[in-house]
Amino acid sequence: MTLYGIDVSNHQGNFDFAAAKREGFVFATHKITEGDGYRDPYWPRARDQMREHFPGLFGGYHFARNDIDVNRQADALFKHLGDTSIPIQLDYEDTKNRGSIDNMKALIRAIEERGMRVFANYLPRWYWTGHMGAPRLDGTPPIWNSHYVAGTGYASVLYPGDQHAGWAEFHTGAPPVVILQFSEQGQVAGQSIDVNAFRGTEQQLRALFGSGSTPGGNAVAETPVLALDQLIGPKAQGWPILGKSKVDPTRDNTLVEALAEVRDALIGLQPSLVEPEFLNGQPPASLDAATFARTADYQAFHAARNAERAVNLLIEQSKIIAQLTARVAALEGNGGAR
C-alpha cells in the first residue's frame, strides 16, 4: 500500500489543507523555523488546520542552517512550535554550508533535549553524498529522502513506484528510507507543491508519527503522548519537584534532564575524605561515586569501632578507678594498717 502526503511552507500561503485531505492525501508537514531567526508566519494556522484535517498524521519541520549554533536553532524551534507533542521533521540540506554527521547529530540532540521528538530526517541522498561525504548514519532517525521525477500532475500519476531507486538504503545498516519526496510539482489543492509517498499501512504511518488515534479521531492508544507529557511536564515546562533546568533556566527540569543530573552526580569524581594532615602536602585523591561510597562506609565503620573501643576503655578505666577508690577508703578506715 502506498500513502501520499504533502509538505508545505510560507511559499504556499494559507494552504487549503481541507482540500488536500479531500483529494486523498493522508499526511502533512509544514515549515516551522529556519536557522535561529526565521519563524514561518503561517505555521500557527497550519498547525491548527493539520490537527483538524490530519489528526495524528502531521508534523512540522525545521530547516537547518549549519553555520548557526545548534542550541540557538533548537531554542527557536521550541519557542515557535507551540506544542511539543507535535513530531519534528529535520530538514538537513543547507547548500550554503557544508554539513557533517557531528553537526547533524548535535542538532538532533539539542532538539530532543528540549522535549521534542525528531520522527524523520529529511536528508536527500544527493546532499548526503555531495555535501557531507557520505558518512555512516547509525543512530540517526529514519530517512525522508528526495528523488524527483519529471513532469507535473497528480501525485498518484507521478509516483515512480515502490521499487524506485529513491527507496534504496543509503548504506548497509543505515536507517530506512521511510518517506520519499518524488516531486516538487504535484498538483494539490490548486497549487504545485512537494508530494511524498509512504510504503505501508496507515497504522504503520501513525506509528512513525507517534500517533495513537484512529482516522475518526477516537483515541485507541495515546501512550506516546502520555509518555511525552510525563517526561516534559505540564505544558512542556518540566516538573517543579525536579528543580530548575540547567538547559533552560526559565523552566524546571524534565525527567530526562533530572536523570542526566543524577547520572553526572554518580559518575562525577569526589575528593577523598582523608584529612589534609595525613597527606604530606599531597592533594586528596579523586574518587568515583562507588569508590567514594565504599571509602566513606569503611571510614564510618572504623570510626564507629574506634568510638566503641574508646567507650569500653573508659568503662574499664572507670571500674579500675572505682576499685582503687574503694581500697583507699578501706585503708583509711583501718588507720592505714594492712
Side-chain angles (χ1 to χ4, degrees):
M1 175 182 289
T2 304
L3 305 176
Y4 298 106
I6 56 175
D7 63 279
V8 294
S9 69
N10 57 294
H11 296 296
Q12 284 73 48
N14 289 321
F15 183 78
D16 192 343
F17 289 97
K21 180 69 173 180
R22 288 195 301 269
E23 291 174 13
F25 288 90
V26 178
F27 63 97
T29 63
H30 191 285
K31 187 173 186 176
I32 308 170
T33 47
E34 179 176 330
D36 66 342
Y38 182 75
R39 291 162 173 77
D40 194 312
Y42 292 92
W43 164 250
R45 173 190 177 275
R47 177 186 61 210
D48 296 340
Q49 290 282 303
M50 290 189 294
R51 181 179 281 120
E52 177 182 353
H53 299 293
F54 297 91
L57 290 170
F58 75 96
Y61 72 86
H62 170 75
F63 190 97
R65 286 298 181 189
N66 304 335
D67 60 336
I68 297 177
D69 177 73
V70 297
N71 288 299
R72 297 210 313 268
Q73 294 191 64
D75 286 339
L77 173 61
F78 177 82
K79 291 176 182 177
H80 197 48
L81 176 60
D83 180 356
T84 54
S85 70
I86 297 173
I88 301 300
Q89 165 199 352
L90 177 62
D91 190 344
Y92 199 83
E93 53 171 337
D94 180 6
T95 56
K96 296 181 179 180
N97 302 282
R98 186 172 178 82
S100 72
I101 187 64
D102 290 338
N103 174 259
M104 188 175 75
K105 285 185 174 181
L107 180 53
I108 293 170
R109 185 164 55 250
I111 291 171
E112 296 191 334
E113 283 175 348
R114 287 155 177 78
M116 299 171 281
R117 181 177 69 89
V118 179
F119 82 98
N121 185 15
Y122 183 87
L123 179 65
R125 192 187 308 271
W126 58 264
Y127 189 84
W128 173 67
T129 56
H131 294 262
M132 296 179 69
R136 290 192 64 84
L137 298 171
D138 306 81
T140 61
I143 296 170
W144 187 322
N145 187 26
S146 70
H147 192 135
Y148 293 161
V149 299
T152 182
Y154 296 118
S156 57
V157 176
L158 293 173
Y159 180 56
D162 288 352
Q163 304 307 314
H164 186 260
W167 291 109
E169 67 178 356
F170 279 38
H171 62 74
T172 301
V177 176
V178 291
I179 296 177
L180 175 64
Q181 185 177 99
F182 57 89
S183 176
E184 60 180 351
Q185 299 184 73
Q187 295 303 305
V188 184
Q191 297 199 49
S192 181
I193 67 171
D194 296 338
V195 286
N196 309 270
F198 173 82
R199 298 182 300 179
T201 66
E202 184 174 317
Q203 182 179 4
Q204 291 170 325
L205 182 60
R206 287 181 178 280
L208 175 64
F209 276 85
S211 167
S213 298
T214 64
N218 296 319
V220 294
E222 294 293 342
T223 301
V225 175
L226 290 174
L228 183 61
D229 287 345
Q230 290 296 315
L231 288 172
I232 64 178
K235 298 181 180 180
Q237 293 302 302
W239 296 99
I241 195 173
L242 299 177
K244 282 296 180 183
S245 169
K246 294 178 181 177
V247 176
D248 181 1
T250 64
R251 60 172 173 79
D252 297 309
N253 268 328
T254 65
L255 184 57
V256 172
E257 291 168 344
L259 286 173
E261 289 187 9
V262 172
R263 174 186 175 276
D264 291 343
L266 289 175
I267 66 174
L269 298 178
Q270 300 289 337
S272 169
L273 295 175
V274 176
E275 292 83 354
E277 58 265 27
F278 296 108
L279 297 176
N280 296 321
Q282 298 297 317
S286 295
L287 309 173
D288 59 58
T291 304
F292 181 84
R294 287 195 297 269
T295 302
D297 182 64
Y298 176 85
Q299 291 182 331
F301 171 76
H302 280 278
R305 289 296 303 273
N306 288 336
E308 181 181 359
R309 289 170 180 158
V311 170
N312 290 335
L313 180 60
L314 286 173
I315 292 173
E316 292 300 320
Q317 289 177 337
S318 296
K319 290 179 179 179
I320 293 172
I321 292 172
Q323 292 173 352
L324 290 174
T325 301
R327 291 196 61 184
V328 169
L331 289 173
E332 289 177 347
N334 295 326
R338 291 187 179 185

